[in-house]
Amino acid sequence: MVEARRTPLTRLRALAAAVAMADADGIEAVSMRSLASALGVVPMALYKHVSNKEDLLDGMVGLVIRGYGRPAPELGWRAAVRAQVLSARATLARHPWARAVIETRSTRTPEVLSYLDTLSGLFMSGGFSADLTHHVMHALGHRVWGFSPEGFQDPNVVSPSSVDQTDPAHLAEARRTYPHIAAIADASGALSGRTCDEDFEFAFALDLLLEAFDRLHRAGWSSA
Amino acid sequence: MVEARRTPLTRLRALAAAVAMADADGIEAVSMRSLASALGVVPMALYKHVSNKEDLLDGMVGLVIRGYGRPAPELGWRAAVRAQVLSARATLARHPWARAVIETRSTRTPEVLSYLDTLSGLFMSGGFSADLTHHVMHALGHRVWGFSPEGFQDPNVVSPSSVDQTDPAHLAEARRTYPHIAAIADASGALSGRTCDEDFEFAFALDLLLEAFDRLHRAGWSSA
DNA sequence: TTCAAAGGTGTACGGCGTACACCAGGAGGA
DNA sequence: TCCTCCTGGTGTACGCCGTACACCTTTGAA
């Protein structure tokens, strides 16, 4: 034996290594095989700590969610929710792969439940009924995890892969085909290379919703 | 030759077959190999009509989006947007796989752009500035495609896979760990087996946003 | 009549997740 | 002290996947 006793593999070590790997090289670089070899172990060894790849991904997401931190409820519900969600967003910025993975998860792990419970608690300690809290959590949707729910990224720029921006004729044609998008792009300065401020959009929608929630709450709204 | 000339494969035929296949057996049943064999053709033949699997998925989504229909703008922007988004939702209900696939797309195909342009046009023909329209489209997020952006499905039920609902002790323990979720579940009757009404939640958030949009519009809001 | 293009074929490669049988070594009871 | 069982790492193998590449057939225009 050339090696001394190696520190034994644990579920946590495996998950942490997977997260680190995804942070460094993207989620597609994380396979059972690559992860195993990064841990100096044979692929099948992972299955002693993780029941399959889905479980691995669930665990990775759980680890990220644990990093969301916990709120300061003395702020009042509105500021507290806002701070919590923005803190989630900040965490997610450090794990760019997590967004896509969260979108594919469906099992509510303890970490997921615990976070949702905490966030619900912020509303309810602000006087929200369980009923209103329920619907309000739905309305937030993916935003509770810290990201805006948008497909196809930035819809406001007239530079999709299907439009060649360097060819003026082609671009003029695109402007004719998609006049409203062109107008939006003009207004936001997207054509001059400026890209759209995702953080602003996130806060914009979040505040719109929080304002609406507040109104409902004050009005004593109930779904009945 | 036993066979007469077979109707030649086209991109559209391939995409339509893929959509049908996903509708019937789920998206995971659609592989290049399975699709090819369903079309009576060898896997590599598909690559003459589709550049790779991503392109296939883009095309499938495009086909679904084409089915979203187009609005009746004489309704006024608010009703028109509402109708358009709900129509998207209805279409999506017939293609349950599409939601997850849309979440993974990033290329803005012509179908995507055309739909976004139409929807933007509804706002702008209602007098919205390009600026406001831009942010408002962001705020809608995935909702424009007809689905609520929620991870982990229904967060209001205390019956996640990690909580065994049939074991009373375990359930009591869960209620103690997640008190707010338990309260919500009680309020919504989830414990009596009733599940949460996704259509209601969708319309709830949509209307909240439309109301907020209206307010901003009336107030002459601008991001500057 | 010729010939190039378009479209279908066959083979092969390297990756993936994971089933299954196996084995090393340490802990616990006799 | 010996035996046994359990935990966790190993090795092999299977069947799937997407797709590169070279090939052949058909077809329609020149």
Side-chain angles (χ1 to χ4, degrees):
Chain A
M1 296 300 108
V2 189
E3 295 267 358
R5 191 94 290 283
R6 197 175 357 273
T7 71
L9 193 51
T10 67
R11 179 177 170 96
L12 190 65
R13 278 221 311 134
L15 295 181
V19 166
M21 203 165 183
D23 287 348
D25 305 322
I27 190 67
E28 73 284 349
V30 179
S31 71
M32 298 302 273
R33 298 169 126 98
S34 65
L35 176 58
S37 98
L39 289 161
V41 110
V42 96
M44 287 312 291
L46 292 172
Y47 287 84
K48 289 279 152 65
H49 306 276
V50 150
S51 55
N52 50 39
K53 184 150 191 200
E54 290 292 285
D55 187 29
L56 173 70
L57 293 172
D58 281 343
M60 293 172 69
V61 168
L63 223 52
V64 169
I65 291 176
R66 273 217 278 272
Y68 278 6
R70 284 305 181 258
E74 66 275 10
L75 292 173
W77 72 267
R78 191 160 166 176
V81 168
R82 194 172 198 275
Q84 176 70 72
V85 169
L86 289 179
S87 144
R89 180 169 181 76
T91 302
L92 225 53
R94 293 192 299 276
H95 306 289
W97 51 271
R99 174 193 172 137
V101 176
I102 287 176
E103 283 180 331
T104 68
R105 295 303 85 200
S106 68
T107 41
R108 293 174 289 265
T109 61
E111 287 90 352
V112 166
L113 286 171
S114 158
Y115 177 71
L116 291 175
D117 191 78
T118 303
L119 203 56
S120 304
L122 291 182
F123 284 109
M124 292 171 82
S125 72
F128 278 53
S129 69
D131 178 39
L132 182 53
T133 302
H134 171 195
H135 300 299
V136 142
M137 290 287 290
H138 271 284
L140 282 178
H142 272 160
R143 259 176 270 268
V144 306
W145 305 111
F147 60 92
S148 288
E150 287 173 32
F152 313 101
Q153 277 128 254
D154 209 350
N156 72 313
V157 225
V158 190
S159 64
S161 56
S162 64
V163 175
D164 178 7
Q165 221 176 356
T166 63
D167 174 355
H170 199 167
L171 196 132
E173 157 81 22
R175 293 182 66 89
R176 232 173 298 118
T177 316
Y178 313 117
H180 305 100
I181 294 184
I184 290 175
D186 291 344
S188 74
L191 286 183
S192 48
R194 195 160 69 76
T195 179
C196 158
D197 182 347
E198 271 194 58
D199 287 337
F200 175 85
E201 305 304 340
F202 187 83
F204 174 81
L206 178 60
D207 288 335
L208 233 48
L209 287 167
L210 291 178
E211 169 70 24
F213 297 168
D214 192 28
R215 232 180 271 273
L216 292 178
H217 174 44
R218 278 194 223 277
W221 184 92
S222 149
S223 68
Chain B
M1 295 299 109
V2 190
E3 294 266 0
R5 190 95 291 280
R6 199 176 353 273
T7 71
L9 194 50
T10 66
R11 178 175 171 98
L12 190 66
R13 279 220 311 134
L15 295 182
V19 166
M21 203 165 183
D23 287 347
D25 304 322
I27 191 64
E28 72 284 349
V30 179
S31 70
M32 297 302 272
R33 297 169 127 97
S34 65
L35 176 57
S37 98
L39 288 161
V41 110
V42 95
M44 287 311 292
L46 291 173
Y47 287 84
K48 289 280 153 64
H49 305 276
V50 151
S51 55
N52 50 39
K53 184 149 193 202
E54 290 292 286
D55 187 28
L56 174 71
L57 294 173
D58 281 342
M60 293 171 68
V61 168
L63 222 52
V64 169
I65 292 177
R66 273 219 276 274
Y68 278 7
R70 285 307 181 257
E74 66 275 9
L75 292 173
W77 71 267
R78 191 159 166 176
V81 167
R82 194 172 198 274
Q84 176 70 73
V85 168
L86 289 179
S87 145
R89 181 169 180 77
T91 303
L92 226 53
R94 294 193 299 276
H95 306 289
W97 51 271
R99 173 192 173 139
V101 176
I102 288 176
E103 284 180 330
T104 68
R105 294 304 84 200
S106 66
T107 41
R108 293 175 289 266
T109 61
E111 288 89 352
V112 167
L113 285 172
S114 158
Y115 178 71
L116 291 175
D117 191 76
T118 304
L119 202 56
S120 304
L122 291 182
F123 284 108
M124 293 171 81
S125 72
F128 278 54
S129 69
D131 179 40
L132 181 54
T133 302
H134 172 196
H135 300 299
V136 142
M137 291 286 292
H138 271 284
L140 282 178
H142 272 160
R143 260 177 269 267
V144 306
W145 305 111
F147 60 91
S148 287
E150 286 172 34
F152 314 102
Q153 277 129 260
D154 210 349
N156 73 314
V157 223
V158 192
S159 63
S161 55
S162 63
V163 175
D164 178 8
Q165 220 175 358
T166 63
D167 174 356
H170 199 167
L171 196 132
E173 158 80 24
R175 295 182 63 89
R176 232 172 299 118
T177 317
Y178 314 117
H180 305 101
I181 293 184
I184 290 175
D186 290 345
S188 74
L191 285 183
S192 47
R194 195 160 68 77
T195 179
C196 160
D197 183 346
E198 273 194 56
D199 287 336
F200 176 85
E201 305 304 340
F202 187 83
F204 174 81
L206 178 59
D207 288 335
L208 234 48
L209 287 168
L210 291 178
E211 169 71 24
F213 298 166
D214 193 27
R215 231 179 271 273
L216 291 179
H217 174 44
R218 278 194 224 277
W221 184 92
S222 150
S223 69

